[in-house]
Amino acid sequence: MNREAVDRHNQAQQTYFARRVPGTMVPRATPYVRRHVDELVAASGLARGASVLEVGCGMGHYTFELAERGLAVEGLDLSPVLLERLRGYAGDRRSLPLHCADVLDPPAALLGRFDGVLGLFTLHHLHDVEGSIASMARLLRPGGRFAFVEPNAFNPLYYVQIAVTPGMSFRGERRLTSMRPRVILPAMRAAGLGDVSVRRYGFFPPQLANRSVGRRLEVVLERVRPLRPVSAFQLFVGRGP
């Protein structure tokens, strides 16, 4: 691992997110957010009360919904700025343990502690995806679940979104092209994870997914088998040793 390169990447990511606070990162219990959390929880098989670490929790966009499902959530993020915003959104409602650290070098106290290590749209922001997956596998208890929702690199609309959205850049999102089964699944196996799988779902961004007509149309499109390879989202799941 090139520590200098990792440090440069991490600093760039912190700057990227410190400068931009898009509305999509503000915690809101929308149908779009609930769908992703429901898919992740169902695929992971985690029951209420399970201890989970959300990697890349950011400002809590998905964190609070994970907690609403009865999971004992802790958050880990590289950015102290985003974690401070999460605390602000949590207010007095919740007390969530938060850890400011690089997942490549997590606090020793977190090793082997969790029933699940989860993330939503996190892997494509990591400098060393393979090394990070190996590091995250070490955070699991025996038989714990690894589950991450990511963009589908084969969906062309992501590249259009990056090009036209103010504040987004190909530099900040450049790892998106690595979000392919032939990259992620071998990395999961190399980390010692078993029962690895990927499932694709969904088609629409929040602007459409949060509307009833969009959700109805999405259900129809998901039934069209030839469209599945270009679904917008994919869920990588594995089980710890």
Side-chain angles (χ1 to χ4, degrees):
M1 177 177 63
N2 186 329
R3 189 68 247 181
E4 184 178 347
V6 171
D7 290 342
R8 285 199 305 269
H9 172 84
N10 289 349
Q11 184 58 52
Q13 286 290 304
Q14 290 187 63
T15 301
Y16 181 58
F17 285 107
R19 288 178 177 172
R20 60 188 294 269
V21 186
T24 55
M25 288 181 66
V26 176
R28 295 189 182 96
T30 64
Y32 176 85
V33 168
R34 289 195 293 267
R35 169 79 192 275
H36 287 310
V37 172
D38 286 341
E39 293 283 351
L40 184 146
V41 172
S44 68
L46 292 165
R48 295 180 67 88
S51 61
V52 302
L53 180 70
E54 184 194 1
V55 177
C57 58
M59 300 193 303
H61 187 51
Y62 298 99
T63 314
F64 303 127
E65 279 301 303
L66 288 169
E68 286 292 325
R69 303 307 189 276
L71 300 173
V73 183
E74 299 187 25
L76 184 146
D77 202 279
L78 185 65
S79 170
V81 173
L82 297 185
L83 290 178
E84 191 58 36
R85 290 172 183 164
L86 189 156
R87 291 187 182 95
Y89 285 118
D92 297 328
R93 296 177 302 151
R94 300 186 185 280
S95 178
L96 300 172
L98 301 176
H99 311 279
C100 186
D102 183 349
V103 74
L104 275 171
D105 187 24
L110 301 185
L111 299 179
R113 268 194 47 200
F114 298 98
D115 298 314
V117 174
L118 315 174
L120 296 106
F121 306 100
T122 296
L123 294 181
H124 71 284
H125 289 293
L126 303 178
H127 175 73
D128 180 355
V129 174
E130 293 83 359
S132 296
I133 291 175
S135 181
M136 286 186 274
R138 296 166 55 222
L139 303 173
L140 290 169
R141 290 175 177 162
R145 301 295 289 187
F146 174 99
F148 278 75
V149 173
E150 289 297 321
N152 179 6
F154 296 112
N155 185 298
L157 295 182
Y158 280 114
Y159 305 100
V160 176
Q161 179 188 16
I162 294 169
V164 303
T165 302
M168 292 189 76
S169 71
F170 286 101
R171 181 180 180 184
E173 310 283 344
R174 65 183 182 275
R175 301 288 173 180
L176 190 152
T177 57
S178 298
M179 296 299 103
R180 294 172 285 129
R182 68 166 59 185
V183 174
I184 303 302
L185 296 182
M188 292 169 65
R189 295 188 186 99
L193 298 171
D195 299 331
V196 303
S197 65
V198 60
R199 189 180 73 80
R200 291 182 174 134
Y201 67 94
F203 286 91
F204 296 145
Q207 295 87 340
L208 286 175
N210 287 331
R211 301 177 62 181
S212 59
V213 64
R215 294 195 296 277
R216 290 196 298 270
L217 180 56
E218 198 166 50
V219 170
V220 173
L221 293 175
E222 287 177 336
R223 293 172 180 164
V224 181
R225 188 178 295 272
L227 293 178
R228 290 179 187 173
V230 293
S231 297
F233 314 107
Q234 50 192 349
L235 228 170
F236 297 99
V237 181
R239 185 184 298 276

